[in-house]
């Protein structure tokens, strides 16, 4: 809806009389005219700025207490029922409806002449996003996609190949009407010199891709792309957005051994009822990259500071902010104590079974003690697995992350302690298949109450529930905010 323009009256001192206008005409060729004009413009700008309405203030403690939709004195059974209750999906159902024009075009003849190779990097979920976009780019260029090459992960030292993690034949079969996929280059192209692109700009459009590559692609017949992370626009035509969803939620499934092991662990979690899955970002590199501190002790804080000092390039953004400023801005991962307080406030019963996904926390099990104290039924893949069940994959970080993904997607409630590729991927997956409960911690607004020592536990719980009424996995449109990824927010596409 268009916003009405507001008009203001300028003071007489800023309005020029006819005499003044006449005088100004005589100095138009002099510097003083531009000084006068600059000063007048600055005054007008300041006046306009002063007239803008201030942003709405955050809700006060009393407003949050009054806005709670639930009675303040809930029985334990009622709180538990409310916690496990799934959000209203508003009738939305998963579907990938491609247009008649898209279906008619199908896999074109040009795909037999043009071959696209891609090298994907990063962790498991970064790789998944890049594989999805590689399929879409192959469709845009009407090219055959060679099964992507997984770059060795420098941080985790994982040398897994595509077929170790993903079901290649299922990918080919599922996308047979969209993009032709082959396991390797044909002999006719093995000696071909590829057109290589290492630095594709961010968020490029389909027209940019065609204009950039198609002419050379037709001539050479082979294109090699690297570093596709966030290179393709988040806003694509509907058919290509649908293709993204089709790849991510249907075609790109994990290899059978991973699926079977992940399903077994999920079944063991569910054996005694519903369970929570947490993605905890407590690893040393996460604290270093975010510019935050774990808060375990001065010893561990100093380890993080020293690592950040030795490797300043690891700090991802906003290097001018202090740790405290980052914390209050909601830019830091929640530690185990904060996760435990949040879950308790939201009504998680103390006997809830919790599966935690993630790498080794800085500080080891000490870092998890606050959570284990409040929720003793606390498991991960190592504690759930039978003796020897993980031996063959113990050093395969991407495979272990895939196990975490499967158990988390199948949980009754999922919550990440910090944003990231895995949290967003699971959020989108759960939304696509029925809007399963997904708690998004409202860190920026809730942390001041975590630091308030004067607030009672009852009031704290009411406030935290009020702050999360709309953050429990309800249908949320991607188009409500710019730059959202359809794989995290599959509605409405």
């Amino acid at each position: 809806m268009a916003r009405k323009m507001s008009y203001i009256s300028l003071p007489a001192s800023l309005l020029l009389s006819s005499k003044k206008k006449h005088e100004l005409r005589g100095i138009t060729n002099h510097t003083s005219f531009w000084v006068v004009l600059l000063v007048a413009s600055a005054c007008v700008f300041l006046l306009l700025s002063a007239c803008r309405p201030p942003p709405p203030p955050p809700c006060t403690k009393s407003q949050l207490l009054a806005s709670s939709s639930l009675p303040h004195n809930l029985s334990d059974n009622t709180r538990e029922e409310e916690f496990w209750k799934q959000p209203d999906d508003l009738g939305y159902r998963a579907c990938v409806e491609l247009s008649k024009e898209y279906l008619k075009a199908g896999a074109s003849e040009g795909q037999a002449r043009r071959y696209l190779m891609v090298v994907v990097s990063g962790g498991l979920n970064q790789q998944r996003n890049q594989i999805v976009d590689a399929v879409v780019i192959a469709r845009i260029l009407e090219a055959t996609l060679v099964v992507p090459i997984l770059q060795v992960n420098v941080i985790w030292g994982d040398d897994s190949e595509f077929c170790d993690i993903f079901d290649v034949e299922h990918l080919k079969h599922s996308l047979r009407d969209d993009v032709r996929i082959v396991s390797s280059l044909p002999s006719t192209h093995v000696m071909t010199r590829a057109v290589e692109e290492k630095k594709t700009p961010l968020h490029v459009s389909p027209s940019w891709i065609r204009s950039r590559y198609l002419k050379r692609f037709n001539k050479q017949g082979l294109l090699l792309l690297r570093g596709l992370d966030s290179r393709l626009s988040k806003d694509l035509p509907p058919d290509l957005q649908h293709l993204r969803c089709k790849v991510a939620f249907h075609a790109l499934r994990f290899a059978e051994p991973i699926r079977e092991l992940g399903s077994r662990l999920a079944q063991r979690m569910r054996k005694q009822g519903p369970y929570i899955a947490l993605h905890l970002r407590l690893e040393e590199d996460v604290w270093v990259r975010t510019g935050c501190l774990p808060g375990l002790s001065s010893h561990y804080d100093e380890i993080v500071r020293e690592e950040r000092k030795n490797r300043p390039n690891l700090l991802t953004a906003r290097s001018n902010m202090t740790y405290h400023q980052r914390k209050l801005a909601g830019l830091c991962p929640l530690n185990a104590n904060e996760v435990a307080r949040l879950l308790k406030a939201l009504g998680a019963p103390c006997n809830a079974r919790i599966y935690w996904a993630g790498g080794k926390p800085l500080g080891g099990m000490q870092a998890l003690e606050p959570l284990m104290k409040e929720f003793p039924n606390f498991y991960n893949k190592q504690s759930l697995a039978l003796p020897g069940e993980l031996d063959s994959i113990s050093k395969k970080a991407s495979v272990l992350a895939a196990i975490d993904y499967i158990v988390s997607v199948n949980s009754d409630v999922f919550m990440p302690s910090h944003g990231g590729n895995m949290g967003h991927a699971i959020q989108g997956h759960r939304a696509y298949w029925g809007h399963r409960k997904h708690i998004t911690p409202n860190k920026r607004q809730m942390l001041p109450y975590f630091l308030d020592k004067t607030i009672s536990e009852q009031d704290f719980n009411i406030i935290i529930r009020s702050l999360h009424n709309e953050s429990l996995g309800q249908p949320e449109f991607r188009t409500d905010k710019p730059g959202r990824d359809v794989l995290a927010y599959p509605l409405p596409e």
Side-chain angles (χ1 to χ4, degrees):
M1 183 171 65
R3 182 181 296 175
K4 290 183 178 180
M5 295 293 292
S6 57
Y7 297 91
I8 61 171
S9 298
L10 296 179
S13 58
L14 287 178
L15 299 176
L16 299 178
S17 65
S18 58
K19 182 178 179 181
K20 289 291 184 182
K21 291 177 184 175
H22 179 73
E23 291 173 358
L24 281 174
R25 291 192 189 103
I27 61 171
T28 52
N29 295 326
H30 298 281
T31 306
S32 55
F33 171 79
W34 300 108
V35 173
V36 171
L37 185 62
L38 182 62
V39 171
S41 300
C43 291
V44 172
F45 174 77
L46 290 172
L47 279 167
L48 289 170
S49 299
C51 291
R52 289 176 186 159
C59 291
T60 63
K61 183 192 297 185
S62 58
Q63 287 172 324
L64 288 169
L65 288 169
S67 67
S68 177
S69 60
L70 294 173
H72 290 189
N73 297 315
L74 294 174
S75 68
D76 290 343
N77 286 341
T78 303
R79 290 187 67 195
E80 184 173 339
E81 288 173 8
E82 284 295 324
F83 180 79
W84 295 117
K85 184 180 177 181
Q86 295 300 315
D88 184 354
D89 62 13
L90 302 180
Y92 288 107
R93 294 292 180 268
C95 68
V96 177
E97 293 186 354
L98 297 159
S99 70
K100 292 180 181 179
E101 292 77 12
Y102 177 97
L103 295 173
K104 186 177 180 181
S108 70
E109 294 179 3
Q111 291 187 8
R113 301 190 303 271
R114 294 186 289 267
Y115 287 84
L116 172 64
M117 296 181 68
V118 296
V119 179
V120 299
S121 57
L124 173 69
N125 293 288
Q126 275 180 292
Q127 292 175 345
R128 289 181 81 254
N129 291 343
Q130 293 170 59
I131 294 165
V132 170
D133 282 355
V135 172
V136 175
I137 291 172
R139 174 75 189 198
I140 292 169
L141 293 173
E142 298 180 6
T144 293
L145 176 66
V146 181
V147 169
I149 299 167
L150 307 188
Q151 186 173 306
V152 176
N153 192 304
V154 178
I155 295 177
W156 304 113
D158 191 340
D159 59 356
S160 298
E161 296 187 7
F162 192 97
C163 60
D164 297 327
I165 301 174
F166 301 107
D167 188 333
V168 176
E169 295 307 314
H170 180 75
L171 181 72
K172 292 179 183 179
H173 181 75
S174 300
L175 299 174
R176 63 192 182 282
D177 296 326
D178 305 276
V179 172
R180 181 168 171 255
I181 300 176
V182 296
S183 297
S184 59
L185 278 175
S187 57
T188 53
H189 285 67
V190 169
M191 301 301 292
T192 303
R193 184 175 181 178
V195 176
E196 185 172 358
E197 182 72 63
K198 295 181 180 179
K199 293 183 179 180
T200 304
L202 292 171
H203 310 306
V204 298
S205 65
S207 58
W208 187 95
I209 290 171
R210 292 189 191 97
S211 63
R212 174 77 174 181
Y213 302 126
L214 209 48
K215 187 175 180 180
R216 289 185 296 165
F217 203 4
N218 284 332
K219 184 178 179 181
Q220 299 294 115
L222 182 60
L223 173 64
L224 173 61
L225 297 179
R226 299 176 184 271
L228 287 181
D229 196 23
S230 296
R231 301 302 163 178
L232 191 57
S233 172
K234 298 289 187 287
D235 298 298
L236 295 176
D239 280 330
L240 296 182
Q241 295 287 60
H242 296 166
L243 178 57
R244 270 179 162 160
C245 290
K246 184 176 181 179
V247 179
F249 305 131
H250 294 272
L252 190 60
R253 72 182 187 185
F254 294 118
E256 187 174 358
I258 295 175
R259 296 200 313 276
E260 290 179 350
L261 178 54
S263 296
R264 287 201 299 272
L265 298 189
Q267 287 168 7
R268 289 170 197 167
M269 283 300 301
R270 190 172 298 286
K271 211 171 193 179
Q272 298 178 32
Y275 70 93
I276 305 166
L278 301 175
H279 185 215
L280 300 179
R281 306 302 309 278
L282 304 175
E283 303 94 326
E284 181 178 336
D285 73 291
V286 174
W287 296 116
V288 173
R289 289 176 186 276
T290 56
C292 301
L293 297 174
L296 290 170
S297 66
S298 57
H299 169 68
Y300 289 111
D301 287 352
E302 188 56 36
I303 289 175
V304 172
R305 288 194 187 97
E306 193 63 28
E307 182 67 11
R308 195 178 299 139
K309 181 180 177 181
N310 294 335
R311 303 175 69 185
N313 59 304
L314 289 181
L315 189 59
T316 49
R318 306 194 192 186
S319 57
N320 60 328
M321 295 177 71
T322 65
Y323 157 60
H324 189 66
Q325 289 171 330
R326 287 172 178 272
K327 185 80 172 175
L328 291 180
L331 300 175
C332 292
L334 297 178
N335 59 37
N337 182 57
E338 291 160 344
V339 171
R341 289 193 70 191
L342 176 56
L343 287 174
K344 284 182 65 180
L346 293 176
C350 61
N351 64 348
R353 293 167 62 80
I354 293 180
Y355 178 89
W356 70 275
K360 181 181 178 182
L362 176 64
M365 296 308 289
Q366 177 191 341
L368 300 173
E369 281 179 3
L371 256 172
M372 293 189 292
K373 182 179 178 181
E374 297 291 345
F375 300 97
N377 296 317
F378 196 69
Y379 308 90
N380 67 351
K381 48 191 170 290
Q382 283 81 10
S383 59
L384 283 176
L386 300 177
E389 205 168 17
L390 299 180
D391 286 355
S392 63
I393 59 172
S394 61
K395 295 183 179 180
K396 301 283 187 180
S398 293
V399 177
L400 294 173
I403 300 296
D404 280 343
Y405 189 100
I406 292 170
V407 182
S408 297
V409 162
N410 285 283
S411 66
D412 297 87
V413 177
F414 173 76
M415 187 179 83
S417 68
H418 192 54
N421 291 302
M422 181 168 174
H424 289 147
I426 293 174
Q427 170 187 322
H429 208 137
R430 291 169 66 86
Y432 184 81
W433 290 115
H435 291 95
R436 302 297 300 277
K437 190 166 187 176
H438 174 108
I439 301 170
T440 303
N442 191 342
K443 291 187 285 186
R444 183 177 297 182
Q445 292 191 45
M446 76 182 189
L447 283 174
Y449 297 103
F450 277 67
L451 301 173
D452 187 349
K453 304 298 183 183
T454 65
I455 190 171
S456 70
E457 183 178 359
Q458 180 180 338
D459 284 354
F460 175 81
N461 293 346
I462 294 168
I463 288 170
I464 295 303
R465 288 201 299 270
S466 297
L467 287 173
H468 291 85
N469 280 338
E470 304 299 322
S471 305
L472 302 176
Q474 299 94 332
E476 192 171 354
F477 276 69
R478 183 185 73 86
T479 47
D480 285 350
K481 291 183 181 179
R484 282 180 166 177
D485 189 346
V486 70
L487 301 187
Y489 298 90
L491 195 67
E493 287 93 351

